[in-house]
Amino acid sequence: MFFRNITLFRFPVSLDIGTLDAGLVEAALRPVGPLELSTRGFVPPFGRDAEALSHRRDDALWLTVGGEDRLLPGAVVNDMLAQKIEEIEAREGRKPGGRRRKQLKDDLVHELLPRAFVKPSRTDALVDLKLGVCAVDTSSRKTGENVVSEIRRALGSFPALPLNAEIAPRSVLTGWIAGEALPDGLSLGEECELKDPADNGAIVKCQRQDLSSDEIARHLESGKQVTKLALVLDDHVSFVLGDDLVVRKFKLLDGAVDQLEHTEADDIAAELDARFALMSGEFRRLFAVLEPALKFSRAEA
């Protein structure tokens, strides 16, 4: 249970989750219907063989939103529609009008949906009740907001908003590459993206690059600003922080993962619990470093 990307939302630390368990049952994932394109709901974080729809370690809560999507490619529908239109034209001597074509397409979708393959999905979320932060394992703001909406459906009220900073993240990231002191524990990685702030300006992407090199300095001198920056927290976590405050390529390093070797995980549930404890602990350490540096805004109660 290790996140790969993190999209962050802030909510008041006074949040009451007393009704959560009952709400999760009401909002549990149900099978997608024969005429539905998709469905969403909560599934057990520990996998389909588990029963609990949440897992908690101290002030850290693990929730998982599952989904079922019917795969009905538009190209397939359009091809079959074209064949039907040709048959009608050959039989009646004229093409069907727009309203009839729409009805034909709707009929095709209803005919094909029950036979379409169903693709399952899951998106994990870490709800830190102490920090008032919901971290969703995705780099997509839309997916993150969908998960937050599901939590809101389960709780009845979940005033979580996308994380914001009181200062421009781009200026902070640019300053770190330009030589300004990084927060304690943080060091530069070997990846960054720089953009010219002008409309349709140049974009430079660097990988496996010494970010303190003269080449990077010349890009900064030309006015480019850093929009994505690879960073390392001690020897525990590596990640790429964007100016949209999304954490990408999140990875726990040996310094953190080695801690799992000292846990006594006799079964899969115990191992998942240990992984969640490690993940939530390292996330909290990372957030504690980034929050004062970027001046994250707090949610109002």
Side-chain angles (χ1 to χ4, degrees):
M1 183 273 162
F2 296 139
F3 287 15
R4 292 168 295 179
N5 302 285
I6 301 176
T7 296
L8 295 163
F9 298 83
R10 205 82 195 252
F11 61 87
V13 293
S14 58
L15 179 71
D16 181 7
I17 63 166
T19 62
L20 178 62
D21 289 341
L24 290 176
V25 173
E26 292 293 324
L29 178 68
R30 58 174 177 77
V32 63
L35 297 180
E36 288 183 306
L37 283 171
S38 63
T39 185
R40 293 290 183 272
F42 290 93
V43 297
F46 281 11
R48 65 180 63 187
D49 295 330
E51 295 183 1
L53 292 173
S54 67
H55 180 69
R56 183 168 178 174
R57 256 299 189 106
D58 300 323
D59 289 323
L61 186 65
W62 180 4
L63 300 174
T64 303
V65 173
E68 290 191 358
D69 297 273
R70 290 194 177 275
L71 302 181
L72 188 59
V76 173
V77 176
N78 292 335
D79 183 61
M80 295 184 68
L81 178 62
Q83 294 179 33
K84 283 188 173 293
I85 291 175
E86 289 178 2
E87 292 171 2
I88 292 173
E89 185 178 9
R91 186 172 63 248
E92 300 180 359
R94 60 185 179 87
K95 289 184 177 181
R99 181 176 299 179
R100 190 177 180 188
R101 288 199 300 271
K102 183 179 184 304
Q103 185 60 53
L104 287 169
K105 186 172 184 178
D106 290 343
D107 292 343
L108 273 174
V109 170
H110 279 74
E111 177 187 341
L112 295 172
L113 267 179
R115 293 181 282 159
F117 288 108
V118 175
K119 178 183 177 182
S121 64
R122 61 173 281 162
T123 306
D124 293 303
L126 165 62
V127 181
D128 193 306
L129 301 172
K130 183 177 181 180
L131 294 175
V133 175
C134 177
V136 184
D137 184 10
T138 181
S139 60
S140 164
R141 176 62 60 84
K142 181 179 179 180
T143 299
E145 290 177 342
N146 288 341
V147 169
V148 167
S149 294
E150 290 299 318
I151 298 174
R152 187 175 296 119
R153 181 162 71 100
L155 281 173
S157 176
F158 186 51
L161 296 173
L163 185 70
N164 284 313
E166 296 179 2
I167 55 179
R170 187 175 294 194
S171 66
V172 175
L173 300 180
T174 303
W176 286 348
I177 279 192
E180 293 181 7
L182 278 80
D184 290 343
L186 274 189
S187 58
L188 296 177
E190 297 181 332
E191 178 179 345
C192 74
E193 177 182 276
L194 304 103
K195 287 186 178 181
D196 189 315
D199 291 339
N200 300 316
I203 299 175
V204 176
K205 297 182 180 181
C206 303
Q207 292 184 324
R208 296 184 294 277
Q209 172 78 50
D210 178 4
L211 300 186
S212 61
S213 66
D214 292 340
E215 180 181 352
I216 297 296
R218 285 193 291 272
H219 285 300
L220 296 178
E221 290 170 1
S222 70
K224 293 186 181 68
Q225 299 174 338
V226 179
T227 53
K228 293 178 183 176
L229 178 61
L231 296 161
V232 179
L233 177 60
D234 299 325
D235 61 345
H236 283 217
V237 178
S238 66
F239 60 99
V240 174
L241 180 63
D243 63 349
D244 55 1
L245 299 181
V246 173
V247 175
R248 297 172 175 86
K249 299 184 180 182
F250 182 87
K251 183 179 180 181
L252 296 183
L253 305 177
D254 291 343
V257 177
D258 286 348
Q259 299 176 42
L260 291 176
E261 297 180 359
H262 305 296
T263 61
E264 297 180 3
D266 298 328
D267 56 36
I268 190 65
E271 181 180 347
L272 288 172
D273 176 65
R275 285 174 171 264
F276 177 62
L278 176 60
M279 171 70 202
S280 58
E282 292 299 328
F283 168 75
R284 184 169 290 176
R285 282 172 67 299
L286 175 60
F287 193 86
V289 171
L290 294 180
E291 183 176 30
L294 292 159
K295 300 188 185 304
F296 294 151
S297 301
R298 292 188 174 274
E300 296 182 1

